[in-house]
Amino acid sequence: MNTTSLNLERKLKKRVQLEDQTYAKVTWRLLPFLFLCYVAAYLDRVNVGFAKLQMLNDLHFSETVYGLGAGIFFIGYFLFEVPSNVIMHKVGARIWIGRIMITWAILSAATMFVTSPTMFYTIRFLLGVAEAGFFPGIVLYLTYWFPAQRRSRMNALFMIGIPIAGVVGGPLSGYILNAFNGVHGWSGWQWLFLLEAIPSLILGVVTLFYLPDSIGASKWLTEAEKKMLEENIAKDGSGKADHSLAKVFGDSKVWLMAAIYFCCMMGLYGVSFYLPTLVKAAGVKDPLDVGLLTAIPYGCAVVAMLLNARSADRMRERRWHFAIASALGGLGLLLSTIYGSNVVIALAALSLGTAGLLSTMPVFWTYPSAILTGTAAAAGIAMINSIGNLAGFVSPSIIGFMKDVTQSTNAGMYVVSAALFLGAVLALLQPKELVNK
């Protein structure tokens, strides 16, 4: 081997070493904090599912009222998602994410004062408005730092906040409902909304000081590290579309992604808002026991999400990793409905379903960034997320209405399962060469 080849090999080896060290540094600096923020966000979004165990009796709400109130959050979310994400792209993540977290914490705590269906609908709608832009904002933010081949794993490290919120939030919510019920004249569900809003408020304030807006604004990176990261992002963004917002909304590929994500979210919110109800229907009555058992499906999902995302990155394959996970999610929810009266079988099936449907998310969110960049990415990611999250309105509303009509959640869960199977099919319609990066 000649001197030129040896020098080239040394430079390449040095470059790889710098990349690995720098990305590890960025990961440890950003991901644990973003993960904590998402745990807090998701806990505030879905703790209404535990509050339901007491709230409906105290306020004399029907299942239809609950389902509509749980879902109307996503109408506000839908209406303000795209503008929120575009604003974040303009003003920076630090200020905008901090603002989002502080306002949603205040509104989530205010839910404790609900006394009528109208108040319930209003506060849930405003909570959706406040939180709009958080999730797609973080997904967009990660594209500022990590190229496509590293993104599934980074998405997974952020998105395991969903199942971790279930693992932590289930037992915590059950404990609060039991231990604080009647304290100072407040019901357990009121204390639930107040206490679980505190982490979001604290993290929102910390975000204003901790989160850098960009690679260049990071004081904890050397100039060599910044240059390398910026070069990789520039290279990753070459050939992607940064076209007008009108073209984003008219892009059939973006609409297909929105349809896929809608199916995925049908499953997620069917589980999130009704998992405590499903466990209780299987014969578990004590709120603390319900909370402890709901932690099991979410614990399985943590492992499944990380393994599926790692495999997708290593194999550079996205479609089948999504499709198989989505199909397993549908199968698990279907079996949990069929064997709903058996606690052991129902819990095993719910674990399979929850692990499957949540494993789709880190893989899915590599899709939009594979074709879009810049303002187009901000708008496209927000559009996909906002349309997909309309399932958060549709899913609990269908389940709640059908439960009032049939006295069972079965029919609603069959619809949710079917949506996950449909999502698996739609994922395979995406061009292989487009998403497998």
Side-chain angles (χ1 to χ4, degrees):
M1 186 178 294
N2 57 41
T3 304
T4 303
S5 297
L6 284 172
N7 288 337
L8 188 61
E9 185 178 343
R10 289 193 189 100
K11 286 182 180 179
L12 183 60
K13 187 176 181 180
K14 189 176 180 180
R15 169 80 179 193
V16 171
Q17 186 178 30
L18 176 64
E19 284 192 355
D20 289 343
Q21 290 174 347
T22 304
Y23 280 115
K25 187 176 181 179
V26 172
T27 299
W28 280 107
R29 175 75 183 194
L30 297 181
L31 268 300
F33 181 73
L34 296 175
F35 159 78
L36 284 176
C37 290
Y38 198 33
V39 170
Y42 203 76
L43 193 60
D44 282 345
R45 183 186 295 187
V46 302
N47 57 9
V48 69
F50 278 94
K52 172 181 182 284
L53 300 178
Q54 293 179 350
M55 189 179 185
L56 265 62
N57 285 333
D58 285 359
L59 302 180
H60 308 292
F61 286 177
S62 68
E63 290 285 345
T64 301
V65 168
Y66 167 74
L68 181 58
I72 206 169
F73 167 97
F74 296 96
I75 301 300
Y77 196 87
F78 170 78
L79 293 174
F80 289 88
E81 185 86 319
V82 173
S84 180
N85 224 35
V86 172
I87 291 171
M88 194 205 85
H89 185 62
K90 300 293 185 183
V91 306
R94 179 177 60 85
I95 292 175
W96 200 245
I97 295 299
R99 191 284 304 164
I100 288 173
M101 295 190 70
I102 291 168
T103 52
W104 96 49
I106 294 169
L107 287 165
S108 182
T111 311
M112 67 185 291
F113 299 115
V114 164
T115 57
S116 68
T118 300
M119 289 180 67
F120 184 44
Y121 300 152
T122 302
I123 200 71
R124 289 291 297 176
F125 176 82
L126 292 175
L127 186 62
V129 172
E131 194 179 325
F134 175 77
F135 176 82
I138 299 299
V139 171
L140 177 66
Y141 182 68
L142 292 176
T143 69
Y144 298 165
W145 296 85
F146 298 98
Q149 68 268 25
R150 295 177 181 266
R151 216 165 279 155
S152 280
R153 284 167 289 175
M154 296 306 107
N155 286 343
L157 289 173
F158 166 57
M159 293 175 195
I160 57 171
I162 296 176
I164 291 295
V167 171
V168 174
L172 176 63
S173 297
Y175 171 76
I176 291 172
L177 289 177
N178 266 357
F180 285 81
N181 194 29
V183 175
H184 295 301
W186 288 349
S187 297
W189 64 268
Q190 292 176 296
W191 281 106
L192 180 68
F193 286 121
L194 176 64
L195 295 177
E196 292 188 351
I198 294 173
S200 295
L201 184 62
I202 294 171
L203 288 167
V205 174
V206 172
T207 298
L208 298 174
F209 301 94
Y210 184 83
L211 203 64
D213 284 325
S214 64
I215 294 170
S218 306
K219 298 178 180 179
W220 38 272
L221 290 172
T222 67
E223 291 304 315
E225 289 170 339
K226 291 179 183 179
K227 182 180 178 182
M228 183 274 296
L229 291 172
E230 288 170 345
E231 286 176 352
N232 284 356
I233 293 301
K235 182 180 178 182
D236 189 61
S238 62
K240 297 179 185 178
D242 188 14
H243 43 232
S244 69
L245 298 186
K247 287 188 177 180
V248 170
F249 297 134
D251 191 328
S252 61
K253 296 186 291 295
V254 175
W255 281 101
L256 175 59
M257 290 179 188
I260 295 168
Y261 195 55
F262 181 90
C263 293
C264 178
M265 291 297 96
M266 283 288 289
L268 176 62
Y269 291 115
V271 168
S272 297
F273 290 127
Y274 278 92
L275 183 57
T277 301
L278 295 173
V279 172
K280 185 177 180 180
V284 182
K285 302 303 179 185
D286 185 86
L288 181 57
D289 291 337
V290 171
L292 290 170
L293 288 176
T294 59
I296 295 174
Y298 287 118
C300 294
V302 172
V303 178
M305 287 175 77
L306 292 172
L307 290 177
N308 197 47
R310 182 179 180 183
S311 175
D313 274 351
R314 186 179 67 251
M315 298 176 66
R316 299 284 183 93
E317 199 290 319
R318 316 290 182 186
R319 296 187 311 156
W320 282 102
H321 279 82
F322 180 98
I324 292 173
S326 187
L328 288 175
L331 177 62
L333 295 189
L334 183 64
L335 292 175
S336 74
T337 304
I338 295 172
Y339 298 101
S341 60
N342 185 306
V343 176
V344 176
I345 296 178
L347 198 60
L350 283 169
S351 297
L352 173 64
T354 306
L357 68 91
L358 281 171
S359 293
T360 63
M361 292 186 64
V363 177
F364 174 83
W365 281 110
T366 64
Y367 295 169
S369 57
I371 62 171
L372 300 169
T373 188
T375 303
I381 288 170
M383 173 188 155
I384 291 165
N385 190 61
S386 62
I387 292 173
N389 271 284
L390 283 178
F393 174 76
V394 175
S395 184
S397 297
I398 288 175
I399 297 172
F401 173 74
M402 289 186 172
K403 186 173 182 184
D404 272 343
V405 172
T406 66
Q407 304 305 308
S408 171
T409 58
N410 287 7
M413 294 307 293
Y414 289 142
V415 173
V416 170
S417 299
L420 287 166
F421 288 123
L422 176 60
V425 174
L426 292 177
L428 296 177
L429 297 179
Q430 295 192 105
K432 179 180 178 181
E433 65 280 1
L434 177 68
V435 297
N436 288 345
K437 296 183 178 181

